[in-house]
Amino acid sequence: MDNRVAPEVNVKAETVAVVSDVHANTVALEAVLAELFQREPDLIVFGGDLTWGPEPEETLALVAALKPPTIFVRGNADRMLLEEGDEPTDRKPWLLERHSPESLARLATFVAQTSLEIAGLGPVRFCHGSPRSDEEVVTPETPEQRVRAFMVGITEAVLVTAHTHLQFDRRVAGIRSVNLGSVGMAYGVEPGTACWGILGPDVELRQTPFSVEKAAARYRASGDPAAERMIGVLESPPSVAEVVEHAEQRVFAG
């Protein structure tokens, strides 16, 4: 049964779990879902970049089995799988071989952004990068001038983004800018930390431990051509300062 919520529906929820940037790390996702189920959220929002990683089909199987209604926001990596043209490396062809036609069709249903009414927070806008681009990087240090620029035409006072793999909750330019972090490859945390969160009635940043050793074994077994590079990031995540410096210099990053 399809448990997605149509984004055009005027949805109101008491609690919403936010799970972003899984990057097909099933070990981290399994750990988060086990903790998430205990909270019994009304709704789950996936913030993009769900299957770009070592175990795409296994990841989709996990989310297909979820009982709460779900909304899937499209990330830049999800979009790249559906667009013509290859990545500069050999990873995209490898990933396409490991997505069934049905799985690619599922990715095509993901929405660019959506808005929900959440108890205690009011209207909340969800997108992957920023409201104007799924590749715009929003960090805890993004200048107020740029925040105002990407919020033009957006009426919600709470913005939930992903993409940078950093977890933060910040008030800037008259809005609350929130990133619940990355499940599959979090930055600025200790190794073996999956980041996610609960919205309603406030913002609750959550961190769940997972086994890096188990994840690394699955990465290697998958044959992912980027496995060793990704394992290196799992074992030694970049710091918040490193990510902010790199991101704010680029502004847009795929």
Side-chain angles (χ1 to χ4, degrees):
M1 180 180 293
D2 190 341
N3 61 345
R4 289 169 293 164
V5 173
E8 66 273 13
V9 173
N10 183 21
V11 177
K12 295 184 178 180
E14 294 293 321
T15 57
V16 176
V18 182
V19 178
S20 301
D21 293 289
V22 174
H23 285 284
N25 179 344
T26 56
V27 174
L29 180 58
E30 288 166 349
V32 166
L33 292 178
E35 187 173 323
L36 183 154
F37 292 152
Q38 298 175 17
R39 302 299 299 271
E40 299 182 343
D42 299 323
L43 180 70
I44 303 174
V45 174
F46 286 85
D49 288 4
L50 180 64
T51 65
W52 186 279
E55 295 190 307
E57 291 293 329
E58 294 85 348
T59 298
L60 286 168
L62 286 171
V63 301
L66 295 175
K67 291 183 179 179
T70 55
I71 293 177
F72 292 88
V73 172
R74 184 181 65 234
N76 61 300
D78 307 314
R79 173 177 52 78
M80 286 170 61
L81 284 166
L82 301 170
E83 291 180 340
E84 295 293 332
D86 288 335
E87 203 189 19
T89 71
D90 60 353
R91 200 180 189 201
K92 182 177 175 179
W94 182 88
L95 282 162
L96 286 172
E97 290 177 357
R98 280 149 184 85
H99 283 76
S100 68
E102 294 77 16
S103 294
L104 291 174
R106 180 71 183 272
L107 295 186
T109 68
F110 291 7
V111 297
Q113 50 192 292
T114 194
S115 181
L116 303 174
E117 180 85 19
I118 302 176
L121 296 172
V124 178
R125 170 73 54 160
F126 294 83
C127 56
H128 184 69
S130 80
R132 65 182 177 183
S133 170
D134 62 17
E135 293 191 344
E136 184 161 10
V137 289
V138 181
T139 78
E141 300 297 331
T142 296
E144 181 173 336
Q145 182 179 6
R146 182 153 69 86
V147 174
R148 293 189 182 279
F150 65 60
M151 288 298 290
V152 169
I154 303 301
T155 59
E156 293 86 353
V158 181
L159 175 70
V160 175
T161 61
H163 191 44
T164 61
H165 296 206
L166 289 178
Q167 191 178 66
F168 61 86
D169 178 7
R170 177 195 187 201
R171 296 181 186 273
V172 58
I175 70 162
R176 191 169 185 177
S177 176
V178 178
N179 189 322
L180 285 308
S182 169
V183 167
M185 193 159 289
Y187 299 158
V189 295
E190 292 298 313
T193 304
C195 295
W196 59 290
I198 297 284
L199 303 182
D202 203 347
V203 174
E204 182 181 347
L205 305 179
R206 303 289 303 172
Q207 296 186 354
T208 301
F210 70 93
S211 169
V212 173
E213 293 76 14
K214 188 176 179 180
R218 289 196 188 176
Y219 276 50
R220 292 188 174 106
S222 73
D224 185 342
E228 293 305 324
R229 177 167 58 89
M230 296 296 98
I231 291 168
V233 177
L234 291 180
E235 293 175 339
S236 183
S239 69
V240 173
E242 289 171 331
V243 175
V244 167
E245 180 181 13
H246 179 74
E248 293 299 337
Q249 285 176 351
R250 298 185 67 181
V251 180
F252 295 91

